[in-house]
Amino acid sequence: MAESAANVFLETLRDLLVEETKFLLSVGGDVEKVKGDLRSIHALLMRADRGRHASPTLKLYISQLKDLAFQAENLLETYAVEIQSKKEGRKSLKEKFRRYICIISECYSVHEVGNEARDIMSALADLASKLESELGRESSPLSRQEYETRQTYAHEVEHDFVGMGEDIEILVSKVKDETRRRRVVKIYGMGGLGKTTLARKVYNHTDLQSYARAWVCITQQFQPKAVFGEILRQLDSNAGQIDGMEDRELVTRIQSFSEGRKCLVVIDDIWKNDDWEIIRKAFPVNCNVILTTRSENIANQQSEPHKLKFLTEDEGWTLLQKITDISPADPDLKSFEDIGRVIVSKCEGLPLSVCVIGGILRQKVHTLPEWRRVNVDMGSYLRRGEGVEEYKRVNQVLDLSYDALPYYLKPCFLYLACFPEDAKIETERLYLLWMAEGFISYQDKGPNESLRDVARRYLTELAMRCMVQLHEAKTYYQLDKFDSCGLHDLMHDLCSSKAEAEEEKFVKRVDASKYLTDILSPTQTRVVIPPSIGNSVSRLAISCDFNSTVSSVDGLEEVKGLRSFTLLQKFFGTPNIGFKENTIDFKMSQYLRIFVADCCEFEGGMLPSKLGELIHLRYMSLRGSNVRELPKSVCSMPYLQTLDLRVPFPAVIRLPNVIWKIKRLKHLFLNEDIEVIGGEKLRLDGLQELETLDKITSETCCIADIPRLISLQRLCVAVCDVDSMSTVLSNKNRQLRETRVWVKSCDLCREKDMEVLNDGLMTPSLLTLQMERCNMSGRFPCYKQGMCQNLVSLELAFCKVKVDVVEFGKYPMLRELALCEVEIAETLTFHPNSFPQIEYLGLYELHDLRKWEVEEGAMPKLTSLTICECPNLDKVPDGLRSISTLRMIEITKMPRQFMERVNEEDCGPFV
């Protein structure tokens, strides 16, 4: 963790210094010295991590670095806010006191800041000297025992082997196929899936025994000469003495031997693409190579990927049966199977887990109570191993994945420990939290990229390393095709154990359901967290996986020094967790950067009074909570990046018209139903860094400000007048990537209004268009080249307009189309290749529709169809039968004759 700690602290300070240079007046030189020392320490700690230094002394130095970095960060931010306050020229001390009470109370002066900066600088210089001395000692390479543990061999026999038959056939056929252009196959997947087992089965396959073969296992400390020597020695039994050969000669000999021969080389457990680039030079184009790796990124240009899948439940049970030696004739076999399948499901298809639990059961007496006991204690056996040596295999396998992470990904991975097991983590929220924590580096930004783009790359890399599982979004987003992610249970255990380790104290997650009590009153359930849990942690995450109402969360009153507080509810709904004024002492956690209070019931619907004084806050989420009014002090949070005010419907939140003053605000989430204190529309014009604006309406927000938001990338807006619609649809902001528009009750009868709509449909960022109760002259705009090139969802409801539905079939990206009570032709014919991407089609209250034909090749991806109250439609089109993706047809409020025809048709089973 040395590298990741260094990276987080350095990035936070460096980014702060870049932003605040203009404020730091006479202490600027001292600050630059601090910055230089941090950079030097960063380099030293990267050396420590690569050299596998893990001495107690080094851990102590890292802890000291963290304390110094926090101290420097707090000093610089507080000072910068005070300087800005002075520049703004507040007229009265009383006014300044109201806005910056926490700053004035500390009464910093330039002289005092300079002294403190010099103290930090001196401590950092001393720390750098100690680190240099510690790293000057001999590094600690892999012990012989650890090296042997990691090695794999081709001749090892897999006694208990299940599944993979199809995988073996595919890979063997690829090796034998001499016409293949690329002769490298990459088997990749999560640690413990059986990549080495599969490679060994292929290597030892009877059809490949005539091949010259070599098997080498690559450790994370790659030594090219040793690898080349081992390959040559196994391929060519007549190679002679090779110990004295140099790398170049070994490569030449391998190439020479492999030319014109049938060869197979397995490179097992390769971790870095750079290592592969060195190894691959030894092989001629005709040499078959199989790589096993945990990273999808390895050898992308040269290899054919083969992703290994998790075991099915049947395969898992078969494997468990083999390992435990349960007799097929056992009279209790059915009962053993019932328990065994539960055990297998907890292993989530990971063969390594099944093997470990099977090994434990094999050592015990085969009785149903013993199996039930193991089932109950699965967590202990797989995670902590209580008394069982077998469990170390799981830890060793998964630890390697963590150790191999680059320094910038380690804190991102550890942060996932904030979320409970089996949680579906919203990628959008995760990106913004990573950014608020300072994990995302400004230096990694490419041209025209935002920090959010960098965060997405980080998550993608974790997924390609098979450490995180990405879930594809049901709704299309141009910025990201995945809307959530998660961890395999064992990977979550690894993450939690690393993050909560005593020496790390990266985060502490509390499962609130374990601390529910109604001891004081049967009608008032509380969460009472032991105070010791919150001691000495900078990040505290409380997860609430229950639906019961909780009157309060107690036990956090004495927690000091929190930098991140998250109270996460699994399901968003009615606020059900009481949050009192004194739940957290914000004075003792005045440097809080993240405050998440999902589904909380705040006293009187008001935020704790001290919350508005947290000038260091980056991320504040009140999602699903009962907050009725946001205090004016929110504009005193100069570093705030994300503000999430999505309170539950039908609640209305009252906002002071000061949000436009939060200059660094990047992501603002609102509900349509807001009330602006003072009666004016919500100003947005000062938010030059705003990237996300979701969800606003022209009734309460100043839509004319939107073109001034030069950094805006994502916009979700409801408009109720033509001028607002024109402003939104004619926005020429090149940064804008996603626009979602809901047009309500607009009168578009004038020709120029329809021209606005026509031009707006040419906007590349337009993803969603919903028009409801609009009065339009003539027809909906006909398709022309470039129109709706990224539109994925279109809904027209109760609009006075004539629609040519066939025209919509030309929209290249349209996935969802819903039409309700609009004027259409009596006959619809969907031609081949029309609606190429559509997945959902809804036809509601279309009284004109009489006949509908679907020709073969139309709607090739349709999965769901709804027909409701179309009384004159004669029947469901015969062409639907040829759409192989169709899974459901929902029919409501249709005539009896229509339903009788449906039941007679082949599509009946879908209805």
Side-chain angles (χ1 to χ4, degrees):
M1 184 54 188
E3 271 189 89
S4 55
N7 178 66
V8 172
F9 308 141
L10 176 67
E11 291 295 343
T12 301
L13 282 169
R14 180 171 56 215
D15 296 341
L16 174 70
L17 288 162
V18 168
E19 292 186 12
E20 302 299 350
T21 300
K22 58 186 177 183
F23 300 134
L24 295 178
L25 304 180
S26 63
V27 298
D30 294 331
V31 169
E32 285 301 314
K33 184 69 169 64
V34 172
K35 181 179 174 182
D37 284 339
L38 277 168
R39 188 177 290 115
S40 299
I41 291 174
H42 186 210
L44 289 170
L45 286 169
M46 287 172 67
R47 268 179 52 198
D49 203 69
R50 284 194 298 267
R52 296 178 51 78
H53 288 264
S55 69
T57 305
L58 184 61
K59 289 176 182 176
L60 174 64
Y61 292 160
I62 293 171
S63 177
Q64 291 175 358
L65 169 65
K66 179 173 74 172
D67 293 341
L68 284 171
F70 284 171
Q71 185 183 348
E73 178 191 358
N74 296 336
L75 168 72
L76 296 174
E77 285 187 353
T78 307
Y79 178 67
V81 172
E82 185 184 9
I83 293 298
Q84 180 64 13
S85 172
K86 290 177 180 177
K87 284 190 172 186
E88 290 176 358
R90 313 308 291 178
K91 292 183 179 180
S92 69
L93 180 62
K94 184 178 179 181
E95 185 177 358
K96 183 176 179 181
F97 181 82
R98 271 199 223 110
R99 187 171 183 190
Y100 295 119
I101 184 171
C102 58
I103 301 172
I104 299 304
S105 65
E106 296 188 26
C107 234
Y108 278 112
S109 67
V110 172
H111 175 72
E112 288 168 326
V113 171
N115 285 341
E116 192 163 344
R118 279 185 282 276
D119 289 343
I120 294 171
M121 178 183 68
S122 175
L124 284 172
D126 183 52
L127 182 58
S129 176
K130 292 177 180 178
L131 279 169
E132 189 75 62
S133 174
E134 178 71 14
L135 294 175
R137 301 174 187 176
E138 186 178 353
S139 63
S140 51
L142 288 174
S143 68
R144 185 68 188 173
Q145 182 180 1
E146 192 175 2
Y147 175 81
E148 287 296 338
T149 301
R150 295 190 185 185
Q151 285 297 307
T152 61
Y153 302 94
H155 63 267
E156 292 181 75
V157 179
E158 303 287 347
H159 295 288
D160 304 307
F161 181 78
V162 168
M164 296 189 188
E166 185 179 345
D167 297 279
I168 295 169
E169 288 183 17
I170 290 172
L171 294 179
V172 170
S173 66
K174 284 184 177 181
V175 173
K176 293 166 63 178
D177 183 2
E178 297 182 8
T179 65
R180 285 169 55 235
R181 185 162 167 254
R182 287 192 291 185
R183 308 305 293 271
V184 179
V185 176
K186 171 178 62 183
I187 305 172
Y188 72 97
M190 178 179 160
L193 266 180
K195 300 180 294 295
T196 299
T197 298
L198 175 58
R200 191 178 286 126
K201 288 291 182 182
V202 174
Y203 183 89
N204 291 316
H205 197 275
T206 54
D207 289 359
L208 304 180
Q209 293 302 300
S210 62
Y211 283 59
R213 295 170 299 154
W215 177 291
V216 288
C217 179
I218 310 297
T219 67
Q220 290 179 29
Q221 293 184 333
F222 171 57
Q223 297 176 325
K225 185 176 179 179
V227 169
F228 291 142
E230 189 61 30
I231 292 173
L232 180 58
R233 188 178 290 109
Q234 292 185 43
L235 286 178
D236 184 4
S237 57
N238 300 317
Q241 183 63 33
I242 63 175
D243 291 340
M245 295 182 187
E246 295 299 322
D247 294 17
R248 184 178 295 276
E249 186 179 356
L250 289 168
V251 168
T252 302
R253 290 280 297 275
I254 293 171
Q255 285 187 336
S256 176
F257 179 85
S258 302
E259 286 286 357
R261 281 189 174 89
K262 291 183 178 180
C263 297
L264 172 62
V265 178
V266 174
I267 310 293
D268 188 37
D269 209 21
I270 188 165
W271 291 86
K272 299 177 183 177
N273 200 60
D274 289 346
D275 295 349
W276 163 246
E277 289 299 325
I278 293 171
I279 295 172
R280 77 182 185 91
K281 296 173 183 176
F283 307 120
V285 292
N286 68 306
C287 186
N288 293 286
V289 180
I290 293 178
L291 307 174
T292 72
T293 180
R294 302 184 192 193
S295 175
E296 190 179 346
N297 270 334
I298 301 292
N300 270 348
Q301 300 302 315
Q302 298 87 25
S303 69
E304 293 183 35
H306 185 90
K307 187 173 185 179
L308 205 52
K309 298 176 182 177
F310 291 90
L311 295 176
T312 65
E313 185 183 305
D314 287 342
E315 290 171 338
W317 164 240
T318 302
L319 178 59
L320 189 65
Q321 246 184 312
K322 282 190 173 186
I323 296 170
T324 54
D325 283 335
I326 287 284
S327 170
D330 194 304
D332 291 324
L333 181 62
K334 181 62 174 66
S335 298
F336 279 119
E337 180 176 350
D338 291 342
I339 302 170
R341 285 185 178 273
V342 174
I343 289 173
V344 165
S345 69
K346 291 180 180 179
C347 293
E348 291 194 281
L350 195 69
L352 177 63
S353 302
V354 178
C355 290
V356 168
I357 296 300
I360 293 166
L361 289 170
R362 187 169 54 201
Q363 298 170 23
K364 297 179 179 293
V365 179
H366 282 328
T367 64
L368 291 172
E370 199 64 58
W371 276 51
R372 292 191 184 101
R373 192 173 298 113
V374 170
N375 177 37
V376 170
D377 295 336
M378 282 272 291
S380 299
Y381 288 124
L382 287 177
R383 300 165 194 179
R384 297 179 293 278
E386 297 177 354
V388 181
E389 191 68 22
E390 272 293 324
Y391 90 100
K392 290 184 178 178
R393 292 175 56 199
V394 178
N395 281 358
Q396 287 168 348
V397 167
L398 297 182
D399 272 354
L400 292 175
S401 295
Y402 176 76
D403 292 341
L405 285 177
Y407 69 90
Y408 57 87
L409 289 183
K410 284 182 177 176
C412 295
F413 176 71
L414 293 182
Y415 194 80
L416 298 175
C418 290
F419 302 91
E421 199 172 90
D422 299 324
K424 289 189 73 173
I425 305 166
E426 293 179 45
T427 54
E428 181 68 24
R429 164 171 273 189
L430 184 61
Y431 299 151
L432 303 186
L433 286 168
W434 280 351
M435 289 159 53
E437 286 280 4
F439 300 159
I440 312 301
S441 172
Y442 276 90
Q443 288 196 331
D444 279 353
K445 283 174 58 177
N448 302 318
E449 270 195 327
S450 65
L451 280 184
R452 185 192 175 285
D453 296 325
V454 179
R456 181 179 59 189
R457 277 200 277 115
Y458 285 8
L459 183 63
T460 301
E461 188 170 348
L462 283 172
M464 295 187 80
R465 290 171 175 270
C466 300
M467 298 188 72
V468 172
Q469 299 166 345
L470 296 178
H471 309 304
E472 195 161 337
K474 293 181 180 178
T475 302
Y476 177 82
Y477 293 97
Q478 190 166 342
L479 289 178
D480 202 344
K481 65 182 291 189
F482 304 103
D483 65 353
S484 64
C485 66
L487 296 174
H488 187 281
D489 281 357
L490 288 180
M491 196 60 77
H492 187 274
D493 295 336
L494 170 74
C495 182
S496 298
S497 65
K498 296 285 185 186
E500 298 189 28
E502 180 63 28
E503 66 272 14
E504 199 61 63
K505 293 182 179 177
F506 185 86
V507 67
K508 178 64 180 178
R509 188 181 70 83
V510 177
D511 182 353
S513 62
K514 295 180 179 178
Y515 300 101
L516 289 172
T517 178
D518 58 2
I519 193 169
L520 296 181
S521 168
T523 60
Q524 283 200 324
T525 303
R526 299 180 303 145
V527 173
V528 181
I529 298 174
S532 58
I533 285 181
N535 290 341
S536 303
V537 294
S538 59
R539 296 182 185 89
L540 179 62
I542 302 175
S543 58
C544 304
D545 188 6
F546 48 74
N547 292 318
S548 58
T549 299
V550 173
S551 62
S552 64
V553 178
D554 301 334
L556 302 177
E557 300 84 356
E558 301 300 319
V559 176
K560 299 178 182 178
L562 275 181
R563 291 171 60 85
S564 173
F565 174 81
T566 57
L567 197 159
L568 300 168
Q569 182 78 345
K570 187 172 184 179
F571 303 105
F572 292 103
T574 305
N576 64 341
I577 305 169
F579 198 106
K580 297 181 179 179
E581 178 78 21
N582 64 345
T583 296
I584 296 177
D585 189 334
F586 291 110
K587 266 194 171 182
M588 293 197 297
S589 295
Q590 60 182 311
Y591 299 117
L592 200 69
R593 295 171 67 101
I594 291 174
F595 179 73
V596 176
D598 286 351
C599 300
C600 285
E601 182 84 29
F602 290 96
E603 287 184 300
M606 303 295 290
L607 290 176
S609 57
K610 296 292 182 183
L611 188 64
E613 300 171 5
L614 301 176
I615 64 170
H616 303 275
L617 207 64
R618 261 77 167 168
Y619 184 110
M620 181 163 69
S621 173
L622 307 173
R623 191 171 173 185
S625 293
N626 74 321
V627 177
R628 297 173 192 160
E629 184 173 317
L630 199 67
K632 192 174 182 180
S633 58
V634 70
C635 71
S636 303
M637 299 176 178
Y639 294 101
L640 193 64
Q641 298 172 359
T642 298
L643 181 59
D644 192 338
L645 302 176
R646 287 175 283 187
V647 298
F649 181 83
V652 176
I653 185 170
R654 302 180 74 237
L655 303 179
N657 211 346
V658 296
I659 289 178
W660 64 275
K661 295 182 180 180
I662 311 174
K663 302 299 183 183
R664 289 187 179 88
L665 191 65
K666 290 179 169 59
H667 307 278
L668 176 61
F669 300 92
L670 297 172
N671 279 354
E672 287 179 56
D673 299 312
I674 64 170
E675 179 185 335
V676 183
I677 298 172
E680 297 180 353
K681 291 189 176 183
L682 190 69
R683 284 183 62 181
L684 302 167
D685 55 316
L687 304 176
Q688 299 296 298
E689 295 185 20
L690 194 70
E691 297 174 9
T692 302
L693 183 55
D694 181 4
K695 180 179 193 181
I696 63 168
T697 172
S698 60
E699 294 177 320
T700 55
C701 293
C702 188
I703 301 299
D705 288 343
I706 290 178
R708 302 188 186 112
L709 307 180
I710 58 175
S711 302
L712 196 63
Q713 295 185 8
R714 178 181 288 181
L715 171 66
C716 183
V717 56
V719 295
C720 306
D721 60 90
V722 176
D723 289 341
S724 295
M725 185 188 77
S726 175
T727 299
V728 171
L729 292 181
S730 63
N731 193 347
K732 303 302 181 184
N733 181 1
R734 293 185 178 181
Q735 299 294 324
L736 202 58
R737 304 186 200 176
E738 290 187 6
T739 304
R740 300 177 186 274
V741 185
W742 182 16
V743 184
K744 299 189 295 183
S745 305
C746 277
D747 188 350
L748 307 174
C749 283
R750 294 178 302 175
E751 187 176 335
K752 68 175 185 178
D753 297 334
M754 290 302 290
E755 288 177 3
V756 169
L757 177 59
N758 190 75
D759 292 342
L761 294 176
M762 304 296 291
T763 305
S765 67
L766 185 63
L767 293 190
T768 299
L769 177 62
Q770 182 179 350
M771 302 189 73
E772 181 181 319
R773 303 188 186 280
C774 294
N775 188 14
M776 296 180 242
S777 63
R779 291 176 172 273
F780 193 84
C782 291
Y783 178 79
K784 55 186 176 182
Q785 192 67 33
M787 179 180 282
C788 296
Q789 55 187 290
N790 291 307
L791 189 73
V792 296
S793 180
L794 174 63
E795 180 178 337
L796 301 177
F798 309 108
C799 292
K800 291 183 179 179
V801 63
K802 188 163 186 177
V803 174
D804 187 349
V805 183
V806 175
E807 289 288 292
F808 298 147
K810 299 173 184 177
Y811 294 175
M813 299 298 293
L814 192 65
R815 295 189 179 193
E816 299 175 358
L817 174 63
L819 301 173
C820 179
E821 202 173 301
V822 294
E823 185 182 349
I824 66 170
E826 290 185 1
T827 301
L828 289 183
T829 303
F830 288 4
H831 300 293
N833 303 319
S834 63
F835 296 99
Q837 302 294 332
I838 201 160
E839 297 172 0
Y840 170 75
L841 177 62
L843 306 176
Y844 302 87
E845 300 183 43
L846 301 179
H847 298 273
D848 301 321
L849 182 60
R850 295 181 179 277
K851 187 175 182 180
W852 180 24
E853 296 179 354
V854 175
E855 296 179 353
E856 189 170 353
M859 301 191 294
K861 297 183 180 180
L862 185 70
T863 58
S864 180
L865 168 67
T866 299
I867 301 174
C868 175
E869 209 168 333
C870 299
N872 298 312
L873 182 61
D874 60 350
K875 65 172 188 172
V876 172
D878 294 336
L880 293 178
R881 299 174 193 167
S882 64
I883 301 176
S884 60
T885 57
L886 187 60
R887 294 290 177 267
M888 185 184 76
I889 302 177
E890 181 182 1
I891 299 176
T892 57
K893 298 182 181 180
M894 292 296 287
R896 181 172 53 84
Q897 298 91 332
F898 182 91
M899 296 305 299
E900 288 174 353
R901 290 193 200 101
V902 166
N903 292 329
E904 294 170 1
E905 301 291 335
D906 292 344
C907 58
F910 297 117
V911 178

